[in-house]
Amino acid sequence: MPTHPVVIGVDSSTQSAKAVFIDAVTGRTLAVGRAPHQVSGEGGARESDPEAWWHALCEAVTTGLKDSGLSASAVTGIAVAGQQHGLVVLDRAGRPVRPALLWNDTRSAPQAAALTEALGGPDAWTARTGSVPVASMTAAKWQWLREHEPRSVAAAAAVRLPHDFLTERLAGTAATDPGDASGTCWYSTATGAYDPELLQLIGLDGDLLPPVAATGAARIGSLTAAAAGELGLPAGIAVAAGTGDNMAAAVGLGLGGAGLLDHPALSLGTSGTVFAASRTRPASAALAGFAAADGTYLPLACTLNCTLAVDKVAALLGLHRDTAEAGGEVVLLPYLDGERTPDLPAASGLLMGLRHTTTRQQLLGAAYEGAVVTVLRALDEVLRACGLDAADPEVAARPLLLIGGGARGRHWVETVRRLSGRPLVIPGSDELVALGAAALAAGAATGEDPVALASSWQGGGGTELPPVERDMETWERVSDVLERAAPTLLG
């Protein structure tokens, strides 16, 4: 049994809740509890019941506590890292008015385009928020709700992000953090506050929003007796403000002011995400110019189609995902659910270069290549947002931190190595979002810097792979098809 205090980091993702119990001194994982989420919707719709998130969080925590064999009295803090951008609308009793609109719900693409135009174009938005509205952003979802469900808007007594909703259930206190708030397009990264003009533009009363804590590690309250009863934990332990899942992953990797700055990371999950922590405020229309959880910035690009899209192609071909081969002449852009980066919300998959000699294995390999080229092109933009030259040999030699479920897949790793030409580091921890949330919880309990804590826990350490020669032929072939097809064939 550990003699050190224990903290809980919760990763409330699109698909599940994970509660990771961490030794707050050593960073050792003591137990992990899990419970699934349900996502509904057809076409562009993607929705979930926020109450189900809470029930899954409770199940994950109670299961993890039981499996750990710990005394509940050892736990000193808890923090939630949640899927970003989701729109949660609550009534006066704090109950959801309707299912939450999720980050990958693309129905709000027309509203995003209209909002971009209404403020004067992409540059006007990036100057204020660091980001341009796309279908993922919460402001576009609120605008969609205003236009399609005015009764839901009229019933709104509070508007929350997914992690805000869960944090409020824990502490009984409304709060968010700069990181997750910066994904709404109604929070200004230039001023560090909600933007009154943007709120007026989308018809959102600022009184419906939670206060913004200084950082994701700020202690915004204590675990209420009611929540403690459901979780099996002591009432009164520290509850951190928490943050978005990408910001928490950065903390878990030790990226931030007290750790690595301007260092690239690539997450291969349902979505493909590239980011770096920087002191330079990003303002590129091609990126989400987020704030980080620790007071720095987190320029980030997200592609909608990554492991899930490639797995779908594998299923259609009747192949295991690791039987793929290099695509040869074939180019497959697996934009099965529209695409966020590049901004092509109405796109579908595009196949070019098919021959009689093309094999199923090459088709699957081409799906990997299309997904990886897309996300690596976005990585170059992230590096530029940090004030770096992506072609500089020193920058190109910085190891790429490869995380997410795809980082455990042989062909994913091989494709990223071949198309990036970079050295890779694959961290040993499978739960970096939850690890980052645990560091925020420890920060709330002790006042220590969460990035410094996570760095001491060495969550970013793992298997190191040397670079291989970059496959520029495939890179240029896929890039050429993407540039020629967008927007005509992919619009």
Side-chain angles (χ1 to χ4, degrees):
M1 295 291 291
T3 57
H4 300 146
V6 173
V7 288
I8 301 172
V10 176
D11 173 7
S12 182
S13 72
T14 315
Q15 305 293 336
S16 67
K18 287 174 274 189
V20 179
F21 289 69
I22 298 290
D23 183 313
V25 175
T26 67
R28 185 166 68 94
T29 298
L30 305 173
V32 182
R34 295 179 174 85
H37 291 161
Q38 295 296 319
V39 178
S40 62
E42 297 179 352
R46 294 292 185 274
E47 300 182 347
S48 288
D49 178 7
E51 293 291 348
W53 299 337
W54 173 249
H55 295 312
L57 184 154
C58 292
E59 181 180 344
V61 170
T62 55
T63 299
L65 183 62
K66 180 181 178 181
D67 291 349
S68 72
L70 293 166
S71 167
S73 62
V75 178
T76 60
I78 186 169
V80 177
Q83 54 177 306
Q84 287 190 253
H85 309 305
L87 177 64
V88 182
V89 181
L90 306 177
D91 62 19
R92 293 184 183 278
R95 301 296 176 184
V97 168
R98 68 174 320 283
L101 300 172
L102 304 185
W103 64 275
N104 52 353
D105 188 313
T106 58
R107 290 175 291 178
S108 53
Q111 288 73 28
L115 286 174
T116 301
E117 183 68 22
L119 195 67
D123 290 344
W125 280 94
T126 55
R128 288 171 180 259
T129 72
S131 304
V132 179
V134 292
S136 304
M137 299 296 186
T138 325
K141 298 182 188 306
W142 176 256
Q143 190 72 358
W144 182 92
L145 201 66
R146 290 179 70 203
E147 295 177 14
H148 290 83
E149 297 183 18
R151 289 186 178 179
S152 296
V153 170
V159 172
R160 301 288 185 263
L161 296 168
H163 111 264
D164 305 341
F165 170 77
L166 295 170
T167 301
E168 193 167 356
R169 283 291 177 89
L170 293 171
T173 303
T176 191
D177 86 298
D180 213 5
S182 67
T184 60
C185 274
W186 60 59
Y187 173 91
S188 171
T189 55
T191 65
Y194 297 129
D195 189 310
E197 185 177 345
L198 298 182
L199 293 174
Q200 183 176 14
L201 178 65
I202 62 174
L204 178 57
D205 183 350
D207 290 340
L208 300 181
L209 301 175
V212 183
T215 70
R219 180 170 183 162
I220 54 91
S222 302
L223 190 66
T224 67
E230 292 193 66
L231 298 172
L233 297 175
I237 65 171
V239 177
T243 193
D245 51 5
N246 291 301
M247 294 78 191
V251 172
L253 288 167
L255 306 183
L260 291 172
L261 287 168
D262 303 321
H263 194 100
L266 191 163
S267 175
L268 298 170
T270 303
S271 61
T273 307
V274 285
F275 55 87
S278 181
R279 295 198 187 279
T280 302
R281 178 180 172 269
S284 166
L287 300 176
F290 293 142
D294 73 329
T296 59
Y297 296 99
L298 196 74
L300 178 147
C302 177
T303 65
L304 289 183
N305 299 276
C306 195
T307 60
L308 200 62
V310 171
D311 285 351
K312 178 63 175 179
V313 173
L316 289 172
L317 295 170
L319 295 174
H320 186 275
R321 63 175 69 92
D322 276 340
T323 60
E325 297 175 359
E329 294 182 64
V330 179
V331 172
L332 202 169
L333 301 177
Y335 300 165
L336 307 187
D337 290 317
E339 188 45 79
R340 173 173 167 177
T341 307
D343 184 19
L344 298 163
S348 56
L350 180 68
L351 176 63
M352 293 188 69
L354 194 63
R355 302 286 187 184
H356 280 292
T357 55
T358 303
T359 67
R360 291 183 300 155
Q361 289 77 13
Q362 287 174 323
L363 278 177
L364 180 55
Y368 278 96
E369 290 167 356
V372 170
V373 167
T374 301
V375 75
L376 287 177
R377 282 165 59 99
L379 175 60
D380 288 345
E381 189 66 30
V382 167
L383 294 171
R384 284 190 285 270
C386 294
L388 303 173
D389 178 0
D392 183 298
E394 188 276 326
V395 175
R398 293 183 188 183
L400 181 59
L401 293 163
L402 192 64
I403 64 175
R408 306 303 177 204
R410 177 182 59 81
H411 201 79
W412 277 113
V413 174
E414 290 176 358
T415 306
V416 172
R417 288 183 80 193
R418 176 165 57 91
L419 292 174
S420 72
R422 287 178 173 274
L424 304 183
V425 174
I426 304 175
S429 174
D430 290 328
E431 306 294 351
L432 285 163
V433 172
L435 184 70
L440 298 178
T446 66
E448 294 185 60
D449 185 286
V451 174
L453 272 172
S455 297
S456 73
W457 295 348
Q458 298 184 333
T463 303
E464 299 182 16
L465 299 175
V468 297
E469 184 178 357
R470 192 174 186 188
D471 182 356
M472 292 304 299
E473 181 180 351
T474 298
W475 176 271
E476 290 170 359
R477 183 174 63 253
V478 176
S479 293
D480 181 62
V481 170
L482 175 55
E483 289 168 7
R484 287 189 293 116
T488 307
L489 295 178
L490 290 169

